Amino acid sequence: MIKSPEVKIGNICIGGNNPIAIQSMTNTNTADTEASVSQCIELFDAGAEIVRLTVNDHEAAVAIPKIKSSLKKKGYSGPLVGDFHFNSFELLNAYPDMASSLDKYRINPSNIDDFNGVIHITKANNKPIRIGINAGSIQTKSKNILDDMVSIALKYAQDAEELGLPRDQIVISVKISDVMECVKVHEMLHKKMQELKRVYALHIGLTEAGSGLKGAIYSTSALSILLNKGIGDTIRVSITSEPHESRTKEIKIAKNILQALSLRFYHPQIISCPGCGRTDNEYFQDLSQKIKKYVEDNAEKWLQINPQTATLKIAVMGCRVNGPGESQSADIGINLPGKTEEKMATVYTKGKYLKTLKGKNIYNEFIEILENFI
């Protein structure tokens, strides 16, 4: 299989042998510099490696250099991407400071004002560009929209190359909201690129996944299938935010997808059983939640002490059916015996029995063991 070329986006590289990069997009009014800077910081702090902003009018274009400068003063150097539709050439041409401040441009050929002009500006500024085809905005009357999306994406990418933009400055995407169509169109694109021996870096994701649990599940389903097939160089989880909900939810979901597939590791993993009739459910649920919260609250500190903590597996199990085996398979595990009058738990480290805890202090004693283990 031919690998995608490495594409440099500011201080981040995607494609080639680089890890899958996580990106997100602000939902602030870009012209509101203070709000946009604040949300960019929130996203970078949560683990976004690339942040995209809408550049839809003159006010937004003027704000971009200010946002870039403000972030730099605050110690943030992550790449910013400008999201352009309809008036991309007009804005990039009219505001050269904005064009040079951005680390990458994103255009949609279905609604672009001057593709050739945008590519010339991209080349002049030595920037990468994402050529993104969205099913919702594609201008086609064909019944086979997936074929059209693939052919249009490759056509415009080739056009960009013929205009002098190197392949390692081109990222393409083909996005649609249906999970299985998303998988299919990316598989088609990947296969076609391999056949043509003309491979581009890929940005993958659902166009509109929805909100809440549904959005998380649909995004996870599509991205997991594709990433497990080796398709994709950077991902975006597109979740409809609830009112006043933090945009960082997208980042958390993306991190968990990559960690579940063992593609990247960000935090210790807790393995816990669902509980059943054999379990002292109230006690088990309370213990597991307290351990989970302690791990979440201390993970960053642990990672600074020992980066390998990101791959740590901690088992919290409720009875003797699967508990001993899961606890011994984890790096450190605590296993309750099930329903007993006496509160007790068995602790294992690195697959070996360590000790049995009894009484009212089980949680505190396990935390002490855990901290010593770290």
Side-chain angles (χ1 to χ4, degrees):
M1 183 175 75
I2 305 171
K3 289 185 178 181
S4 57
E6 181 176 271
V7 179
K8 193 173 189 306
I9 305 168
N11 59 1
I12 295 292
C13 288
I14 67 168
N17 293 316
N18 293 289
I20 309 296
I22 294 174
Q23 56 182 282
S24 187
M25 184 174 181
T26 61
N27 60 1
T28 56
N29 177 3
T30 305
D32 185 340
T33 304
E34 186 176 345
S36 297
V37 167
S38 178
Q39 194 171 78
C40 285
I41 289 173
E42 185 180 25
L43 292 170
F44 282 129
D45 282 347
E49 289 148 313
I50 302 168
V51 172
R52 184 157 42 113
L53 301 101
T54 296
V55 188
N56 59 328
D57 54 30
H58 298 278
E59 290 75 19
V62 169
I64 289 293
K66 297 176 183 177
I67 293 169
K68 185 80 171 180
S69 176
S70 181
L71 286 168
K72 188 175 181 180
K73 288 177 183 177
K74 294 175 185 291
Y76 290 85
S77 58
L80 299 182
V81 178
D83 190 81
F84 297 94
H85 295 275
F86 305 109
N87 56 355
S88 48
F89 175 72
E90 175 192 339
L91 294 175
L92 286 165
N93 187 54
Y95 297 94
D97 286 348
M98 176 269 293
S100 62
S101 294
L102 290 168
D103 298 289
K104 176 169 160 260
Y105 313 143
R106 185 267 195 245
I107 61 168
N108 185 339
S110 298
N111 55 37
I112 199 166
D113 50 350
D114 183 349
F115 179 80
N116 288 13
V118 168
I119 297 302
H120 285 307
I121 291 174
T122 305
K123 183 182 173 185
N125 282 284
N126 194 29
K127 305 288 183 179
I129 192 167
R130 172 160 74 100
I131 298 170
I133 309 301
N134 289 356
S137 58
I138 190 172
Q139 297 174 354
T140 178
K141 295 181 180 179
S142 168
K143 292 183 179 180
N144 200 339
I145 191 170
L146 303 187
D147 279 334
D148 288 348
M149 290 172 70
V150 170
S151 61
I152 291 171
L154 291 175
K155 174 192 179 300
Y156 277 101
Q158 185 172 1
D159 288 350
E161 281 196 80
E162 290 175 356
L163 290 168
L165 195 66
R167 192 170 300 175
D168 63 2
Q169 288 179 226
I170 299 171
V171 180
I172 62 177
S173 67
V174 284
K175 287 193 172 184
I176 196 165
S177 58
D178 180 272
V179 170
M180 294 316 297
E181 287 187 336
C182 175
V183 171
K184 185 176 180 180
V185 73
H186 283 93
E187 288 176 336
M188 291 166 59
L189 175 60
H190 183 261
K191 182 180 178 182
K192 190 68 174 177
M193 290 194 300
Q194 294 293 323
E195 289 174 351
L196 295 172
K197 293 183 172 55
R198 197 171 78 241
V199 177
Y200 300 95
L202 289 184
H203 168 120
I204 65 171
L206 287 177
T207 317
E208 302 96 6
S211 62
L213 187 61
K214 183 260 184 186
I217 291 171
Y218 276 49
S219 288
T220 301
S221 299
L223 289 172
S224 295
I225 294 171
L226 291 171
L227 291 169
N228 199 45
K229 291 174 178 284
I231 299 173
D233 300 294
T234 179
I235 63 172
R236 160 92 192 279
V237 173
S238 301
I239 299 292
T240 306
S241 300
E242 304 289 345
H244 311 298
E245 181 182 41
S246 172
R247 196 71 159 174
T248 60
K249 184 176 182 179
E250 294 187 353
I251 313 303
K252 293 174 183 176
I253 295 168
K255 281 183 170 181
N256 277 285
I257 291 171
L258 295 178
Q259 181 143 341
L261 298 172
S262 297
L263 292 171
R264 297 186 70 176
F265 295 91
Y266 299 95
H267 47 71
Q269 179 183 348
I270 294 183
I271 301 161
S272 60
C273 69
C276 67
R278 288 183 295 272
T279 308
D280 185 346
N281 283 309
E282 186 175 343
Y283 181 70
F284 166 68
Q285 289 167 358
D286 179 65
L287 179 66
S288 62
Q289 287 302 312
K290 285 168 71 175
I291 292 173
K292 177 176 179 287
K293 185 177 187 308
Y294 187 88
V295 171
E296 289 174 349
D297 290 346
N298 289 275
E300 188 173 339
K301 176 191 74 175
W302 293 341
L303 288 167
Q304 290 174 354
I305 296 169
N306 181 2
Q308 291 184 347
T309 305
T311 63
L312 185 71
K313 289 185 178 181
I314 304 167
V316 185
M317 304 298 293
C319 85
R320 291 177 290 183
V321 175
N322 295 324
E326 290 287 359
S327 296
Q328 290 174 64
S329 296
D331 296 296
I332 180 169
I334 181 168
N335 178 54
L336 304 180
K339 291 182 177 178
T340 60
E341 290 187 14
E342 183 181 18
K343 301 303 179 191
M344 58 188 298
T346 308
V347 178
Y348 298 86
T349 57
K350 292 293 183 182
K352 295 181 179 180
Y353 168 79
L354 180 68
K355 67 187 301 185
T356 298
L357 309 177
K358 295 182 180 181
K360 298 179 180 180
N361 244 358
I362 289 175
Y363 168 74
N364 290 329
E365 289 182 42
F366 179 72
I367 292 302
E368 185 178 351
I369 293 170
L370 177 60
E371 283 286 0
N372 288 334
F373 185 84
I374 298 295

